[in-house]
Amino acid sequence: MRSEKHHKKRKTRWTIFFLTFLLLIGATVGYSYYQFKQGVNQSLKKVKKENKKKVVYTFEGKKDQYGDTNILLLGSDARGNERSRSDTIMIVHYNENKKTFKLSSIMRDSYVNIPGYGKHKINAAFADGGPELLRQTIKENFGMDLQYYAIVDFQGFVQLIDEAFPKGVEINVEKKMSENIGVTLEPGVQRLDGEQLLGYVRFRYDAVGDFGRVDRQQKAVKAIGDQLSTFDTITKLPKLIGVVSPFVNSNMDAADILFMAKDYLSKKVPVETLRIPVDNSFTEPMIKGEGAVLDINVQKNREALHQFISK
């Protein structure tokens, strides 16, 4: 008899525990969805009508040969003009087993073969065939598969930074910057809001041009990662994803983004970076119809990319 009563009490406790657990999961999911929709609605108020309809792209991506998930990350201020060239080309490499992230930047003037179009600057692939043709171009030249793409409107970057960092992102601005970036930045350590940080990562009117801009983009990514407060930001993730969602055209859904972002914040491992082309692997000739290009040694850069990913 005592054994039966003990068994019933134990069963009752486990039932209560299980129901409580389900209730907490339901509440968490409900709260996350509510925060996501709050973020979406907040940004929709700032989106111009012509930006609301997103271009639907095909993208035949898959995981790479190392089992990593690669995301083609493109920055654009096209405002709905699908023929524009991508201003920023990055690949986010995510290893689910190790929970690690790496970042490769491909310089937009890299002179490569674009399938069906011949040799051109790599950012022309986006103008000619969207993210799918750019995926094919990267696959042909660098032997790397890409599973997802995300085209981020620059205004979405501004909204995300302002929401995640109300006091701004701390950056050491190395020189005065103002030409063609919409803001004026003075040199020195300071906190930049979304508009200012966008200007910082887009500036290229100095002696090093696009090389400096790529370095600043990677520097900004590292600063953003280093300054994210793990607990506070994890609780804000659904709203942050909602805030940026109206400004992003991607084949990733919100659950994919949330899963990877959670891994990134909980792991807090510094992001390793690579620039393509690597040093001593290119020349800078003038090509008729193209202007100045980076004529790269494709094999050397392919090997550098694969070594970077697989180590």
Side-chain angles (χ1 to χ4, degrees), residues 27 29 113 167 209 212 250 285:
V29 171
N113 186 61
K167 296 181 180 179
S250 178

Side-chain angles (χ1 to χ4, degrees), residues 281-306:
S281 71
F282 62 93
T283 57
E284 300 181 68
M286 295 290 294
I287 303 293
K288 186 177 180 180
E290 295 281 350
V293 305
L294 299 175
D295 193 9
I296 71 173
N297 181 322
V298 171
Q299 185 59 34
K300 189 170 183 177
N301 281 282
R302 178 193 287 240
E303 290 172 359
L305 179 60
H306 283 260

Side-chain angles (χ1 to χ4, degrees), residues 107-125:
M107 295 188 67
R108 63 181 189 169
D109 290 343
S110 298
Y111 194 55
V112 298
N113 186 61
I114 298 175
Y117 292 85
K119 293 198 74 172
H120 296 281
K121 293 180 180 180
I122 194 169
N123 66 342

Side-chain angles (χ1 to χ4, degrees), residues 78-96:
R79 295 183 172 88
N81 179 8
E82 61 180 303
R83 291 290 300 173
S84 74
R85 296 189 177 200
S86 178
D87 196 63
T88 302
I89 303 172
M90 292 181 169
I91 304 174
V92 178
H93 312 276
Y94 169 62
N95 185 302
E96 186 175 346

Side-chain angles (χ1 to χ4, degrees), residues 3 9-10 13 32 48-49 63 65 84 99 114 138 149 156 202 208 210 217 219-220 237 244 246-247 284 289:
S3 177
K9 286 182 179 180
R10 189 175 176 184
R13 283 199 299 269
S32 297
K48 293 181 180 180
K49 290 182 179 180
K63 288 189 175 184
Q65 56 267 57
S84 74
K99 310 296 184 187
I114 298 175
I138 292 171
Y149 76 88
R202 297 195 70 193
V208 290
D210 263 357
Q217 289 171 353
K219 178 181 173 182
L237 269 179
V244 77
F247 302 98
E284 300 181 68

Side-chain angles (χ1 to χ4, degrees), residues 62-219:
K62 61 182 180 180
K63 288 189 175 184
D64 66 24
Q65 56 267 57
Y66 307 108
D68 289 348
T69 296
N70 296 315
I71 305 161
L72 178 61
L73 184 61
L74 307 173
S76 174
D77 60 353
R79 295 183 172 88
N81 179 8
E82 61 180 303
R83 291 290 300 173
S84 74
R85 296 189 177 200
S86 178
D87 196 63
T88 302
I89 303 172
M90 292 181 169
I91 304 174
V92 178
H93 312 276
Y94 169 62
N95 185 302
E96 186 175 346
N97 293 327
K98 297 179 181 178
K99 310 296 184 187
T100 56
F101 291 81
K102 296 180 180 181
L103 181 68
S104 300
S105 297
I106 303 178
M107 295 188 67
R108 63 181 189 169
D109 290 343
S110 298
Y111 194 55
V112 298
N113 186 61
I114 298 175
Y117 292 85
K119 293 198 74 172
H120 296 281
K121 293 180 180 180
I122 194 169
N123 66 342
F126 178 73
D128 291 330
E132 171 59 16
L133 183 57
L134 187 50
R135 181 195 70 79
Q136 293 175 22
T137 301
I138 292 171
K139 171 68 174 177
E140 177 174 310
N141 289 275
F142 304 111
M144 184 65 61
D145 283 308
L146 308 170
Q147 187 172 6
Y148 298 112
Y149 76 88
I151 306 167
V152 182
D153 185 280
F154 288 137
Q155 189 56 35
F157 175 83
V158 172
Q159 298 299 325
L160 180 64
I161 294 301
D162 287 344
E163 182 67 30
F165 299 93
K167 296 181 180 179
V169 177
E170 187 175 288
I171 289 284
N172 185 7
V173 179
E174 60 269 25
K175 66 186 75 177
K176 183 173 181 178
M177 303 176 187
S178 61
E179 190 173 353
N180 290 345
I181 59 173
V183 295
T184 298
L185 303 176
E186 299 294 339
V189 177
Q190 55 201 282
R191 289 190 171 274
L192 304 183
D193 63 20
E195 290 283 356
Q196 293 168 328
L197 189 59
L198 177 62
Y200 177 77
V201 300
R202 297 195 70 193
F203 179 76
R204 63 186 179 94
Y205 294 93
D206 58 8
V208 290
D210 263 357
F211 287 92
R213 179 168 66 168
V214 168
D215 286 345
R216 282 186 287 275
Q217 289 171 353
Q218 294 187 343
K219 178 181 173 182

Side-chain angles (χ1 to χ4, degrees), residues 225-244:
D226 291 344
Q227 294 171 43
L228 285 171
S229 173
T230 303
F231 177 75
D232 290 343
T233 309
I234 286 178
T235 60
K236 290 169 64 176
L237 269 179
K239 185 175 183 181
L240 292 177
I241 294 170
V243 165
V244 77

